[in-house]
Amino acid sequence: NAGVTQTPKFQVLKTGQSMTLQCAQDMNHNSMYWYRQDPGMGLRLIYYSASEGTTDKGEVPNGYNVSRLNKREFSLRLESAAPSQTSVYFCASSETLRQPQHFGDGTRLSIL
Amino acid sequence: AQSVTQLGSHVSVSEGALVLLRCNYSSSVPPYLFWYVQYPNQGLQLLLKYTSAATLVKGINGFEAEFKKSETSFHLTKPSAHMSDAAEYFCAVGSSNTGKLIFGQGTTLQVKP
């Protein structure tokens, strides 16, 4: 029973490099989300996808792009990484937008 | 606009003592509210949710929360703390319009033996 799977679990990048964080869920959920977690700031929504084929900006979308590849997969791309994007990134999914969200274990990303 | 404030970034209790974690929210539409728990190096797990069916909500691991509209609060309680309750707890408010969640800053619960 995998739930929400994120890859990789850890990554170190240099400033200016690009990277794609992968997320897949096996619960047949319609909605998926990307958050970043920084100390003392809780979780902040980067992008979300209410259903397959749609994506919308969240609270902090600048510097990121997303792709809802199919119903299962939702990827987050950093085109030109900056030190301010050092964070822990969480993917989540829910049956619909108003249902409880299920979280992956996170990707710890450091940008030097 | 919606917001959520968790009072106290760190709370310390003795094992067996009452746990009280405070959460206040603001919302221009009827909110739905969640409490999540995060153990080290893990994602968030749902503790309980409020969706207007009942003001007192029971969750997993003996936790419960009471929705008080007049106080715009949704405090989390547990009668008797256990060492395994040590974790970070997040309150979140969702909009019935958009479905997006806004998370509080989190409260780290320490349980002393």
Side-chain angles (χ1 to χ4, degrees), chain A residues 28-92:
Chain A
N28 201 35
H29 285 169
N30 290 298
S31 303
M32 297 186 74
Y33 315 80
W34 276 104
Y35 293 91
R36 60 178 289 173
Q37 182 178 27
D38 302 291
M41 303 189 74
L43 276 76
R44 292 180 291 168
L45 183 65
I46 305 171
Y47 273 93
Y48 69 103
S49 171
S51 60
E52 186 179 356
T54 69
T55 60
D56 285 287
K57 295 178 179 179
E59 192 181 352
V60 288
N62 290 345
Y64 305 95
N65 286 299
V66 291
S67 296
R68 183 75 184 265
L69 303 170
N70 46 55
K71 191 172 185 178
R72 290 187 64 248
E73 299 173 287
F74 189 40
S75 63
L76 178 72
R77 184 162 177 83
L78 287 70
E79 290 291 352
S80 179
S84 61
Q85 294 177 305
T86 293
S87 188
V88 182
Y89 291 86
F90 287 98
C91 178

Side-chain angles (χ1 to χ4, degrees), chain A residues 37 48 90 97-98 101 104 108, chain B residues 36 38 41 96-99:
Chain A
Q37 182 178 27
Y48 69 103
F90 287 98
L97 279 180
R98 293 163 185 77
Q101 295 176 18
R108 284 148 185 82
Chain B
Y36 284 87
Q38 184 181 32
N41 299 315
S96 55
N97 289 347
T98 67

Side-chain angles (χ1 to χ4, degrees), chain B residues 4-96:
Chain B
V4 59
T5 301
Q6 292 183 237
L7 301 175
S9 58
H10 289 84
V11 170
S12 182
V13 301
S14 298
E15 191 173 19
L18 171 72
V19 175
L20 171 61
L21 304 182
R22 300 177 187 273
C23 173
N24 288 90
Y25 70 91
S26 68
S27 178
S28 57
V29 297
Y32 54 101
L33 297 152
F34 301 91
W35 275 100
Y36 284 87
V37 60
Q38 184 181 32
Y39 299 102
N41 299 315
Q42 294 186 23
L44 278 68
Q45 301 173 29
L46 179 69
L47 272 179
L48 50 81
K49 63 177 181 179
Y50 165 77
T51 55
S52 78
T55 56
L56 184 62
V57 182
K58 294 188 183 298
I60 62 171
N61 301 338
F63 284 93
E64 63 182 33
E66 186 173 8
F67 174 71
K68 292 188 176 180
K69 185 177 180 179
S70 60
E71 299 177 9
T72 60
S73 69
F74 190 57
H75 301 332
L76 182 71
T77 60
K78 182 175 181 178
S80 177
H82 192 272
M83 296 297 291
S84 61
D85 295 326
E88 189 160 20
Y89 292 79
F90 292 93
C91 180
V93 60
S95 167
S96 55

